[in-house]
Amino acid sequence: MATIKDVAALAGVSLGTASRVLSGSSQTSPDSRARVTAAAKQLNYIANGPARSLRRSRTDVLGLLVSDIRNPFFSELAHAAEREAQRRGYTVLLANADEDAEQEAAYLRTFASQRIDGLLIAPQGSDVGALRALRDSGLPLVFVDRAVDGLDVPTIGTDNEDGIRRALTWLHEKGHREVAFVGGPPEVSTGHERRAAFLRFRDELGLSADPRLVAHGDFRAESGVEATRAVLASGARPTAVLSADGLMTLGVARALREEAASELGAVEIVSFDDLDWFDLVSPPISAVRNDASAIGRLGVEALVDVIEGRPGASHRVTTSFVDRSAGGAAGAGA
């Protein structure tokens, strides 16, 4: 673990200056702040005083860092985690990374400097440095929804392969062969896993392998619009679109609505993530039901196990499929 002396040496400043910068004092020059901040980031520096106090005492406080609090999936996950934590006698401090790696890093530094007993996090990408440093500081960690390769941390997530299989099998049975896929960012584990599963089951089911049918966004609504427009602008003519998350499904629907007067107006939409409004649109949207509540509950359970010295168990939560098509068993899992 890097120390404040290491940061000061790399930045070329005194120990006192480094301490003032890292404590947030304004009594430093802009140049010193920039150099110390850059050195701390390069060394993955984490203030270790509170970390030592964590080993001496309990605070009954957990941190929860979600990817995007505006995403209904993460809102539901946070709600379930909070209820489970309260049931076990813990309070939860919630933070939002806003699908931004730099904002995530800032919150990781904040949580590392606070007296919390453990941290639940949906990591942004594949950069393991700060997360490894946090784990090595002794702070109990559990990943929820997303994982990071190369880091041995208990992970509670969705069976993404199973969910994509359910969606594509349903579309195949309905006669669709030209199925477009709007995936998430490939550097995020859920984006990578869902895309890999789509390509695998697309080929196994004999669906079109036209590369123009595959695009990706960033798990936000506007990226779903842009990705869908890109597919259509390429000249591809899908009969169905499978979106890799609920917010991007909103974007897909908006983009296809722009084409409502054309032959694309009847394109079927399927979502990975089931949102409340899907049965209110016409036609309603069928979806893979991704159990965010179970992930939140199990995440807290695993984190408390780690805090209390027991091994935290990783778990893949199974999905179900909600068929809202005409004649489908709306609301029923498959």
Side-chain angles (χ1 to χ4, degrees):
M1 291 292 293
T3 68
I4 193 170
K5 291 182 180 179
D6 299 323
V7 174
L10 181 59
V13 301
S14 70
L15 184 60
T17 297
S19 177
R20 285 192 294 275
V21 170
L22 293 171
S23 65
S25 171
S26 61
Q27 303 302 309
T28 54
S29 69
D31 178 65
S32 294
R33 289 196 293 273
R35 288 157 59 189
V36 170
T37 300
K41 182 176 181 181
Q42 181 177 335
L43 294 172
N44 288 318
Y45 171 76
I46 295 174
N48 63 4
R52 286 194 298 269
S53 72
L54 282 171
R55 291 191 288 270
R56 294 195 301 266
S57 63
R58 290 272 294 274
T59 63
D60 296 327
V61 176
L62 306 179
L64 171 58
L65 179 53
V66 298
S67 300
D68 185 355
I69 196 62
R70 296 172 299 177
N71 188 322
F73 173 84
F74 286 111
S75 298
E76 183 180 344
L77 186 156
H79 180 257
E82 181 182 43
R83 289 177 64 88
E84 180 65 16
Q86 288 176 338
R87 191 182 72 81
R88 292 171 177 266
Y90 288 88
T91 298
V92 174
L93 298 180
L94 175 65
N96 173 37
D98 204 31
E99 297 290 4
D100 183 286
E102 291 187 3
Q103 186 158 315
E104 175 190 75
Y107 273 122
L108 287 177
R109 290 192 293 270
T110 298
F111 276 127
S113 67
Q114 301 302 310
R115 294 186 61 198
I116 60 173
D117 291 343
L119 177 63
L120 290 168
I121 177 174
Q124 293 304 300
S126 57
D127 182 7
V128 302
L131 290 169
R132 178 177 287 115
L134 195 61
R135 182 201 62 183
D136 292 347
S137 75
L139 181 68
L141 285 181
V142 169
F143 292 154
V144 287
D145 185 55
R146 303 173 178 181
V148 175
D149 288 339
L151 201 57
D152 185 18
V153 170
T155 302
I156 312 299
T158 297
D159 190 340
N160 293 301
E161 185 173 274
D162 176 64
I164 295 294
R165 178 192 61 78
R166 291 175 185 272
L168 284 184
T169 299
W170 182 80
L171 286 168
H172 179 268
E173 290 174 351
K174 292 198 69 180
H176 293 287
R177 298 297 180 266
E178 299 291 324
V179 178
F181 180 66
V182 175
E187 67 272 15
V188 174
S189 65
T190 46
H192 171 75
E193 289 179 8
R194 291 172 195 177
R195 183 180 187 277
F198 172 82
L199 296 177
R200 173 189 168 185
F201 292 113
R202 176 199 70 181
D203 294 344
E204 288 187 7
L205 292 167
L207 306 181
S208 172
D210 185 345
R212 299 175 302 173
L213 291 169
V214 179
H216 68 84
D218 62 5
F219 288 142
R220 292 181 171 181
E222 186 56 36
S223 73
V225 174
E226 294 171 358
T228 305
R229 285 174 178 166
V231 169
L232 302 182
S234 73
R237 287 298 177 262
T239 61
V241 178
L242 171 57
S243 171
D245 100 313
L247 286 184
M248 290 196 303
T249 300
L250 174 59
V252 170
R254 285 175 177 167
L256 291 177
R257 187 175 62 183
E258 296 171 358
E259 304 290 338
S262 73
E263 72 275 12
L264 293 170
V267 173
E268 185 138 34
I269 302 173
V270 174
S271 174
F272 198 113
D273 284 345
D274 187 27
L275 303 186
D276 290 342
W277 58 269
F278 284 174
D279 61 350
L280 302 178
V281 297
S282 181
I285 296 173
S286 298
V288 175
R289 181 165 287 164
N290 188 9
D291 195 344
S293 291
I295 293 172
R297 290 194 307 272
L298 291 170
V300 170
E301 180 180 310
L303 185 58
V304 171
D305 282 341
V306 176
I307 290 169
E308 296 181 352
R310 299 184 295 273
S314 295
H315 190 78
R316 289 277 188 171
V317 177
T318 58
T319 64
S320 59
F321 189 81
V322 182
D323 180 359
R324 294 191 174 94
S325 64

